[in-house]
Amino acid sequence: MRKEDMTVDELIADIHACLQTPEPSAEAPVPPPKKKPALRKALVALGTALALLLETVLLLAGGLYGVMYVLAKGPSPTARDMFVRSVRETSAIGFLANLFFSEDEIQRITGGGKLPDYVESNSELIQIPTIAPDDTKPTGPVTDDWGLTDEDGDGIIIQEVAGEGYRGYMMVVLDPSRVIMGSVPQSYGAQGSTVEQYVRHFDAVAGINGGGFDDPNGKGNGSVPDSLTVFDGQIYYAEKGCRRGFAGFDSRHILHVGFFTAEDIRAKDIQYGASYGPVLVVNGEAMGPDILDSGVNPRTAIGQRSDGAVLLLVIDGRQVSSMGATFTDLAEIFLSYGAVNACNLDGGSSSMMWYQDKYLNSSASVIGIRPIPTSFVVLREGETA
């Protein structure tokens, strides 16, 4: 039939028939729909994850900034001072105080970095008893005059300490001749070592971190002491001074604490020692608030009782279960253990205590155990420097 002979209805029906898709034949199966490429799916998933991560980081950063702002600019001067002192005691995040205060304001809060005026430590207050020969040495648990018991007879007592907002460990070494400064001067300027590595290097049984070190932007390799250091009677970096304090043992194994020059070190016959500070206790008396006012941080410190027993203290920090301790907290702990003299050592991410093939405390460093240039190690029984 010709199109010109079709009715309107027939013409419309014919057009509809032409527009309809023909049914596929059995010989030509319909191909499945194309799948989204795997790479595209992965990119979409990665983009979504990154967006969520960025949003989370921004929220956390905003929340953290808000908390710091309240501490820094809130109504409490105590909270403000604690915040400023805490962050300024840390090389990696010390800049946070500058977000809210000028350098002059920070110096007023922290004391301006003026050098402390310490009382001379009296070495005559330390009376080290003669160590009994091996054949007369007690074989069972021994309790000392401070009520502490050496259960296994290895001459080392470990006790957990805790207070408001902090927890840590006190190590009491009954024989002071076993404690020396662990360091390798030949490695100064090359690479520092961890506390564990120093303990193993000296074939010792225990150790803690020691003095401070150059740490630009928190990225140092722990190889260069930042202040006066003494190893085996040799003085290193005397030109750098001793920061806010020095702790060192003389040839009689008596601990001296104070603010010393190289001449003082020689006059006192100090054989092993490191600088950091401040001094916490001198001649059985705690330092005043002008010296002990501080922030809250992980801490390491060293002291000595009147019978010569060495006190090694490490406090955990920057954790939910232990925020850290102040210098006042440290002084109170040492006095409770009978310390005659005590001095703060490097703290923060460096604070570590090693004993019986493991670390007793938890590292505050997010990058792992930090290398350091100096430590104090406890030699095996019968071994001396």
Side-chain angles (χ1 to χ4, degrees):
M1 180 184 293
R2 294 182 307 170
K3 289 190 180 331
E4 54 266 26
D5 298 329
M6 300 174 79
T7 65
V8 173
D9 290 340
E10 290 173 334
L11 184 61
I12 292 174
D14 186 63
I15 292 173
H16 282 183
C18 291
L19 292 177
Q20 287 179 353
T21 302
E23 291 293 329
S25 63
E27 293 78 13
V30 179
K34 291 185 178 180
K35 293 183 178 180
K36 190 180 292 185
L39 178 60
R40 184 180 175 187
K41 282 187 175 182
L43 291 175
V44 170
L46 179 61
T48 303
L50 289 176
L52 289 173
L53 178 60
L54 178 60
E55 183 180 355
T56 302
V57 169
L58 291 175
L59 287 173
L60 290 175
L64 179 60
Y65 183 86
V67 171
M68 290 191 298
Y69 184 87
V70 170
L71 291 174
K73 298 297 185 179
S76 172
T78 301
R80 175 202 65 198
D81 294 353
M82 185 67 71
F83 165 74
V84 173
R85 289 172 178 145
S86 296
V87 299
R88 290 291 280 195
E89 290 170 0
T90 306
S91 59
I93 60 172
F95 68 92
L96 292 177
N98 298 90
L99 296 177
F100 307 98
F101 302 100
S102 68
E103 193 60 35
D104 287 342
E105 291 174 315
I106 293 172
Q107 291 300 313
R108 284 196 297 271
I109 293 172
T110 59
K114 63 180 181 180
L115 298 178
D117 184 18
Y118 297 128
V119 176
E120 180 81 5
S121 57
N122 182 4
S123 61
E124 298 303 317
L125 296 177
I126 310 296
Q127 299 294 325
I128 302 175
T130 303
I131 303 299
D134 289 342
D135 58 347
T136 62
K137 181 181 177 181
T139 56
V142 177
T143 301
D144 63 17
D145 294 338
W146 284 264
L148 303 179
T149 302
D150 179 12
E151 297 287 354
D152 56 7
D154 69 346
I156 297 175
I157 301 170
I158 301 291
Q159 288 206 320
E160 292 189 31
V161 296
E164 186 175 352
Y166 69 84
R167 59 178 176 79
Y169 296 89
M170 174 68 82
M171 178 184 296
V172 182
V173 184
L174 300 179
D175 179 2
S177 70
R178 296 174 61 185
V179 181
I180 67 169
M181 195 187 76
S183 188
V184 183
Q186 296 88 339
S187 71
Y188 292 165
Q191 178 62 51
S193 299
T194 64
V195 173
E196 175 190 357
Q197 289 170 334
Y198 282 124
V199 171
R200 297 192 185 283
H201 177 82
F202 288 92
D203 191 28
V205 295
I208 59 171
N209 60 293
F213 54 94
D214 290 338
D215 189 28
N217 300 317
K219 298 179 180 179
N221 67 356
S223 67
V224 181
D226 65 359
S227 45
L228 188 151
T229 300
V230 185
F231 180 81
D232 198 20
Q234 297 295 312
I235 300 173
Y236 301 86
Y237 301 100
E239 71 282 0
K240 294 186 176 184
C242 66
R243 293 183 62 114
R244 297 182 64 197
F246 176 91
F249 292 93
D250 66 19
S251 58
R252 297 179 298 160
H253 315 297
I254 292 176
L255 179 69
H256 296 259
V257 298
F259 191 83
F260 302 145
T261 64
E263 290 72 25
D264 297 325
I265 297 296
R266 296 187 187 96
K268 296 177 185 299
D269 193 27
I270 292 175
Q271 300 297 301
Y272 297 95
S275 304
Y276 202 81
V279 171
L280 305 167
V281 177
V282 173
N283 302 331
E285 299 289 337
M287 295 294 94
D290 57 322
I291 293 175
L292 296 184
D293 279 348
S294 71
V296 173
N297 272 303
R299 305 289 185 189
T300 302
I302 188 170
Q304 189 172 41
R305 296 190 319 201
S306 60
D307 66 345
V310 178
L311 308 173
L312 306 177
L313 176 66
V314 166
I315 299 294
D316 274 332
R318 302 172 193 164
Q319 304 170 25
V320 174
S321 59
S322 181
M323 293 299 294
T326 65
F327 294 150
T328 299
D329 293 328
L330 299 188
E332 291 175 351
I333 294 171
F334 275 109
L335 289 176
S336 72
Y337 276 82
V340 173
N341 298 309
C343 184
N344 180 62
L345 298 173
D346 190 13
S349 299
S350 300
S351 288
M352 298 304 302
M353 176 180 284
W354 178 270
Y355 177 61
Q356 291 186 339
D357 294 322
K358 66 179 180 180
Y359 285 111
L360 298 186
N361 69 308
S362 302
S363 172
S365 173
V366 297
I367 59 174
I369 309 300
R370 302 197 69 186
I372 52 178
T374 60
S375 66
F376 284 95
V377 299
V378 183
L379 303 174
R380 297 181 184 278
E381 284 193 281
E383 299 290 335
T384 64

